[in-house]
């Protein structure tokens, strides 16, 4: 695939992304029809999935943790920002994305609220930013004028990269000289080994396979920068939460319990369940990614959202001149009131049915 020749195109792409997010404020004002119901009276929640993978929401449905809602798959997505845009514009009821993208969406005028953590980094699941062993790259300063391969702009990989460069002492002007290049995850390792890019963001199956082939090592990782951390959240439109609080509460409690199930269940059992779910839903998928599942990646029991997990990206956007200081407060962007691991129903160390367990 052709690569942009300079960081100017990256800047233009980011500006375009911000314009799209800002435009959502117009779309989110549209009226909403009455929520669809199943024959037995459950509220139908439309959502987007990911091929060959099982989300905590889909797991919760399979485990029977929902009593008031029913899921309706609208198709797959490969982009967190696009997924939450779909939620903000009433194409689906909920979406999940990196918290920096959530903050940008809300700053652009979208009326959404985070209700539950959706992914993160723990000791087993994280993203590394890899260089070739023979690259000669050993520091952030070595990346000036170099190319970093990301899966998309305006999301997790970009924020982590720019934050690491900042922490390593690069100035704003120097950071702008590091070229952020969009490369599909399936092609990222090859682009790195062929010298088309200098750094490659690799996670999950792509990281594991690349490391097996050798010749690369991490320059930085998200886990090393922030430690174990919840990086993304599920969001709903504010008007939907107001009109359908019981449906949102059922979504959160069931998904939180599924997250906890992932956190305390042996890995082999999780993988076996994922294979069963993928087979039952009949989407013509294969299960080749399942053996590479290591953990939920969510360190907080039941996916409880912490204020710092949003505030850090508000501060980042303010520092980079993309958000006026004081415009947003993290406490206003999320709620834990529906989560049984936060509202007093279950203790943080409880399992998915309320019993106290030791995490695996």
């Amino acid at each position: 695939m052709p690569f942009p020749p300079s960081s100017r195109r990256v800047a233009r792409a980011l500006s375009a992304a911000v314009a799209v997010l800002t435009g959502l404020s117009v779309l989110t004002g549209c009226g909403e029809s009455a929520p669809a119901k199943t024959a037995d009276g459950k509220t139908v929640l439309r959502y987007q999935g990911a091929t060959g993978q099982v989300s905590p929401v889909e797991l919760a449905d399979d485990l029977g943790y929902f009593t008031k809602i029913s899921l309706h798959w609208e198709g797959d997505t490969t982009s967190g920002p696009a997924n939450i845009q779909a939620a903000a514009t009433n194409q689906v009821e909920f979406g999940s994305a990196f918290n920096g993208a959530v903050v940008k969406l809300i700053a652009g005028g979208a009326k959404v609220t985070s209700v539950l953590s959706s992914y993160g980094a723990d000791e087993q699941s994280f993203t590394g930013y890899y260089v070739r062993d023979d690259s000669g790259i050993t520091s952030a300063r070595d990346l000036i004028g170099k190319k970093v391969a990301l899966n998309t702009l305006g999301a997790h990989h970009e924020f982590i990269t720019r934050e690491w460069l900042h922490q390593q002492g690069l100035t704003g002007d120097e950071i702008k000289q590091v070229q952020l290049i969009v490369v599909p995850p399936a092609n990222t390792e090859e682009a790195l080994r062929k010298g088309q890019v200098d750094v490659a963001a690799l996670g999950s199956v792509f990281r594991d396979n690349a490391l097996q082939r050798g010749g690369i090592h991490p320059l930085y990782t998200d886990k090393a920068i922030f430690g174990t951390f919840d990086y993304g959240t599920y969001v709903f439109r504010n008007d939907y939460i107001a009109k359908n609080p019981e449906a949102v509460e059922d979504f959160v409690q069931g998904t939180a319990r599924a997250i906890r199930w992932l956190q305390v269940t042996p890995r082999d059992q999780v993988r076996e369940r994922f294979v069963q779910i993928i087979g039952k839903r009949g989407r013509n998928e294969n299960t080749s990614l399942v053996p590479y599942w290591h953990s939920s990646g969510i360190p907080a029991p039941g996916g409880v959202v912490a204020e710092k997990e949003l505030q850090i990206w508000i501060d980042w956007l303010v520092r980079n001149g993309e958000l006026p200081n004081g415009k947003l407060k993290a406490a206003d962007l999320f709620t834990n009131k529906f989560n049984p691991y936060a509202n007093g129903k279950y203790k943080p160390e409880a399992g998915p049915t309320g019993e106290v367990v030791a995490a695996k």
Side-chain angles (χ1 to χ4, degrees):
M1 61 177 290
F3 295 128
S6 73
S7 59
R8 292 193 197 93
R9 293 190 184 180
V10 174
R12 287 197 295 268
L14 285 171
S15 297
V18 173
V20 170
L21 294 176
T22 303
L24 288 174
S25 59
V26 177
L27 296 172
T28 52
C30 299
E32 176 187 299
S33 59
K37 300 281 187 178
T38 61
D40 58 356
K42 294 180 179 178
T43 301
V44 176
L45 299 188
R46 301 166 298 166
Y47 79 102
Q48 295 175 328
T51 185
Q53 301 176 57
V54 178
S55 70
V57 180
E58 293 167 316
L59 175 63
D61 189 43
D62 189 71
L63 290 169
Y65 289 165
F66 297 138
T67 61
K68 298 178 181 179
I69 65 171
S70 178
L71 301 179
H72 184 272
W73 176 67
E74 292 286 333
D76 288 330
T77 183
T78 58
S79 167
N83 189 216
I84 58 174
Q85 287 177 34
T89 55
N90 198 15
Q91 299 172 60
V92 293
E93 268 60 73
F94 63 88
S96 163
F98 170 60
N99 283 330
V102 172
V103 171
K104 268 196 170 185
L105 186 75
I106 296 173
K111 306 299 184 183
V112 299
T113 295
S114 295
V115 298
L116 183 70
S117 291
S118 58
Y119 82 94
D122 59 20
E123 293 302 327
Q124 292 78 39
S125 301
F126 60 91
T127 297
Y129 299 78
Y130 290 83
V131 296
R132 298 187 309 278
D133 290 346
D134 62 358
S135 68
I137 296 174
T138 61
S139 69
R141 190 156 298 279
D142 293 333
L143 295 187
I144 296 175
K146 299 293 196 302
K147 299 182 177 70
V148 179
L150 315 175
N151 66 328
T152 188
L153 294 175
H156 182 124
H157 293 168
E158 179 189 346
F159 277 65
I160 292 296
T161 296
R162 293 174 67 182
E163 176 63 18
W164 182 74
L165 295 171
H166 169 76
Q167 290 186 7
Q168 295 298 305
L170 268 64
T171 66
D173 287 340
E174 289 172 334
I175 291 173
K176 290 177 183 178
Q177 296 176 57
V178 178
Q179 300 180 46
L180 306 180
I181 307 300
V182 176
V183 182
N187 305 117
T188 302
E189 179 192 353
E190 180 182 11
L192 177 66
R193 294 191 186 278
K194 287 185 175 181
Q196 295 172 310
V197 298
D198 303 285
V199 182
L202 297 170
S204 65
V205 59
F206 305 108
R207 182 190 68 231
D208 291 352
N209 283 342
L211 289 175
Q212 287 176 8
R213 286 183 274 272
I216 64 172
H217 64 273
L219 183 63
Y220 54 101
T221 69
D222 51 15
K223 184 181 68 172
I225 297 173
F226 295 111
T228 57
F229 203 74
D230 290 331
Y231 281 107
T233 48
Y234 290 106
V235 303
F236 279 82
R237 296 184 306 280
N238 294 348
D239 61 347
Y240 190 88
I241 295 173
K243 294 176 183 177
N244 305 282
E246 291 186 355
V248 176
E249 181 178 17
D250 196 42
F251 168 90
V252 174
Q253 68 80 28
T255 306
R257 291 166 60 198
I259 289 170
R260 193 62 180 146
W261 187 91
L262 292 171
Q263 292 169 330
V264 301
T265 302
R267 189 177 300 161
D268 288 346
Q269 292 183 30
V270 174
R271 291 170 174 170
E272 181 180 355
R273 189 85 183 212
F274 282 179
V275 170
Q276 294 172 0
I277 293 172
I278 291 170
K280 286 189 295 185
R281 64 193 186 192
R283 299 181 191 168
N284 194 30
E285 303 163 277
N286 64 53
T287 57
S288 61
L289 294 178
V290 174
Y292 296 93
W293 187 90
H294 296 299
S295 69
S296 70
I298 301 174
V304 175
V305 182
E307 184 172 329
K308 65 179 182 180
E309 294 161 358
L310 289 157
Q311 187 63 51
I312 193 170
W313 307 118
I314 293 174
D315 295 342
W316 190 95
L317 289 167
V318 170
R319 188 182 73 226
N320 284 276
E322 299 179 49
L323 181 68
N325 189 24
K327 179 176 180 179
L328 296 180
K329 291 174 53 180
D332 298 332
L333 309 188
F334 75 97
T335 179
N336 283 316
K337 70 177 182 180
F338 301 118
N339 194 319
Y341 297 92
N343 63 20
K345 183 174 181 180
Y346 291 172
K347 296 180 179 180
E349 66 270 25
T353 57
E355 80 285 8
V356 176
V357 299
K360 63 176 180 175

